[in-house]
Amino acid sequence: MTAEHRSGCPINLSLEVFGDRWSLIILRDMIFGGRRHFRELLNGSLEGIASNILADRLKRLMELGLLTKADDPSHKQKAIYSLTEMAITLVPIMAQLGAWGRVWLPVTEELSIRAELLEKGGPPLWDQFMDELRHEHLGAPSKSPSGTPTVRQQLRAAYEEVVARKAEATVD
């Protein structure tokens, strides 16, 4: 045990990384929402993170090795954040957190449909998603057949379908 950690317990050490209010939300938005710029993360979060908190958490996630930051080639005043392998391997954990939350917490249908699909797809879907994230963030070769929807596209389509069905039901 070092002075900077309370103990060498893997659960404790993981909570030291993710136990704050925002780190997993930022990673969720990057993994599932495809958000990679500061403004996208700031304005796209349902939970409404403050800009100073976002800046602090992004810095911390980079220091911990979960994110990298580079200049965005499309705009010289923007930076682009990328997931590292360490962050990409959180997909199964995120899927399990979503599955647990669907069972025990008062979730909404539209915000839990992605968790349901990830749960049903299990490890094969998680592996496919992690491969796609490696391609997107790390430049690894794509293993997915071209022309097929990505996991993120499938999850988004399911979300949009639920939102549309609920909107239609309120009009009727």
Side-chain angles (χ1 to χ4, degrees):
M1 181 176 86
T2 65
E4 59 193 53
H5 301 294
R6 288 182 294 224
S7 79
C9 168
I11 293 172
N12 170 70
L13 291 170
S14 297
L15 282 174
E16 287 182 13
V17 173
F18 304 116
D20 71 82
R21 191 173 178 165
W22 294 107
S23 294
L24 281 176
I25 300 300
I26 293 166
L27 292 168
R28 177 205 65 190
D29 288 351
M30 290 184 71
I31 291 169
F32 297 102
R35 298 184 184 112
R36 300 191 60 188
H37 296 97
F38 186 89
R39 285 273 168 227
E40 292 174 329
L41 290 161
L42 182 66
N43 298 328
S45 176
L46 295 171
E47 293 79 13
I49 189 169
S51 62
N52 62 323
I53 301 294
L54 176 58
D56 179 69
R57 292 315 184 279
L58 288 169
K59 181 181 175 194
R60 180 159 161 65
L61 290 168
M62 287 187 298
E63 289 169 353
L64 291 166
L66 290 153
L67 299 179
T68 60
K69 177 182 171 183
D71 291 335
D72 186 338
S74 69
H75 193 288
K76 60 180 158 180
Q77 291 181 327
K78 280 183 166 182
I80 189 164
Y81 293 91
S82 296
L83 301 166
T84 64
E85 180 66 19
M86 184 185 208
I88 290 169
T89 60
L90 289 169
V91 167
I93 294 167
M94 296 275 205
Q96 291 295 330
L97 278 172
W100 182 85
R102 278 183 358 90
V103 171
W104 297 105
L105 302 173
V107 300
T108 62
E109 182 184 6
E110 63 271 19
L111 294 177
S112 66
I113 188 64
R114 292 175 277 214
E116 181 180 342
L117 294 176
L118 284 167
E119 183 180 359
K120 287 179 179 175
L125 187 65
W126 308 342
D127 288 342
Q128 180 185 346
F129 195 21
M130 288 188 290
D131 287 339
E132 291 168 2
L133 290 168
R134 287 182 188 104
H135 175 70
E136 179 182 347
H137 290 265
L138 305 176
S142 177
K143 296 180 181 178
S144 300
S146 63
T148 60
T150 65
V151 172
R152 187 183 294 133
Q153 289 169 334
Q154 293 172 50
L155 298 175
R156 180 160 212 46
Y159 166 79
E160 290 171 354
E161 185 180 311
V162 172
V163 169
R165 181 174 41 78
K166 287 184 138 200
E168 189 176 292
T170 57
V171 173
D172 292 340

